[in-house]
């Protein structure tokens, strides 16, 4: 048994039971974005959260313990993503990454946007020309220190 096998079991149960990530998140009491990342093996759940997720997906006690293990983050099988949706994010960073970096540095100075002290919100935005995907990323700015 390993974390990847638990993730596969969660995905299988999600499909077979017709579960929505937003419903799982509501039960856990956290955002659908963070909860989905946790269920997909990218975040660590505490014992209570692992119990709730385990109940929803029918996980054993051992499988619930795997949800509480700090994962190796990063889930893409290749350096350049091949899934079309994920590739478009890669494309956004390839095309706009230097612009994002430049504008963050101009506004905040020399530092980075945290992916640890971070939140994300994904929403559907109605548009007469076709619905849009609205993604808001919010990360704490961490300045580089001099020493």
């Amino acid at each position: 048994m390993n974390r990847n096998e638990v993730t596969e079991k969660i995905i299988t149960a999600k499909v077979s039971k017709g579960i929505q990530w937003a419903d799982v998140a509501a039960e856990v009491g956290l955002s659908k974005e963070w909860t989905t990342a946790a269920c997909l093996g990218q975040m660590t759940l505490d014992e209570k959260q692992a119990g709730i997720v385990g109940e929803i997906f029918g996980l054993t006690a051992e499988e619930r313990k795997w949800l509480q293990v700090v994962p190796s983050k990063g889930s893409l099988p290749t350096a350049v993503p091949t899934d079309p949706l994920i590739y478009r994010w890669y494309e956004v960073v390839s095309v706009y990454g230097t612009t994002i970096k430049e504008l963050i540095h101009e506004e905040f100075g020399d530092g980075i946007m945290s992916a640890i002290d971070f939140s994300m919100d994904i929403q559907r935005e109605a548009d007469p020309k076709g619905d849009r995907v609205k993604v808001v990323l919010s990360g704490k700015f961490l300045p580089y220190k001099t020493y």
Side-chain angles (χ1 to χ4, degrees):
M1 174 69 47
N2 63 47
R3 185 58 179 92
N4 289 335
E5 291 171 328
V6 175
T7 298
E8 289 301 319
K9 185 171 180 179
I10 287 171
I11 293 168
T12 299
K14 179 188 181 295
V15 171
S16 69
K17 294 180 178 185
I19 297 169
Q20 297 290 308
W21 291 122
D23 295 331
V24 176
E27 290 293 320
V28 173
L30 295 169
S31 74
K32 70 181 180 297
E33 294 81 8
W34 189 93
T35 303
T36 302
C39 290
L40 295 178
Q42 296 302 302
M43 300 293 168
T44 308
L45 292 123
D46 66 24
E47 187 175 359
K48 180 180 177 188
Q49 295 161 344
I52 294 167
V53 169
E55 197 65 35
I56 293 167
F57 293 109
L59 303 180
T60 67
E62 180 186 354
E63 291 165 337
R64 293 173 193 209
K65 287 181 182 177
W66 278 105
L67 299 176
Q68 299 171 66
V69 173
V70 177
S72 292
K73 302 206 191 294
S75 59
L76 300 178
T78 59
V80 176
T82 56
D83 177 83
L85 191 142
I86 297 171
Y87 178 80
R88 292 299 171 238
W89 278 96
Y90 176 81
E91 181 180 29
V92 166
V93 172
S94 294
V95 174
Y96 292 102
T98 54
T99 300
I100 293 166
K101 175 182 169 42
E102 183 67 21
L103 293 173
I104 288 172
H105 288 296
E106 185 174 272
E107 179 70 25
F108 293 91
D110 189 11
I112 62 169
M113 183 181 93
S114 176
I116 296 169
D117 190 342
F118 177 84
S119 65
M120 171 175 38
D121 184 44
I122 300 173
Q123 299 292 327
R124 177 185 293 252
E125 194 172 82
D127 188 295
K129 295 182 264 176
D131 286 357
R132 303 183 65 82
V133 178
K134 182 178 179 179
V135 180
V136 176
L137 307 175
S138 177
K140 180 179 180 181
F141 181 75
L142 302 171
Y144 284 102
K145 295 181 179 182
T146 55
Y147 55 95

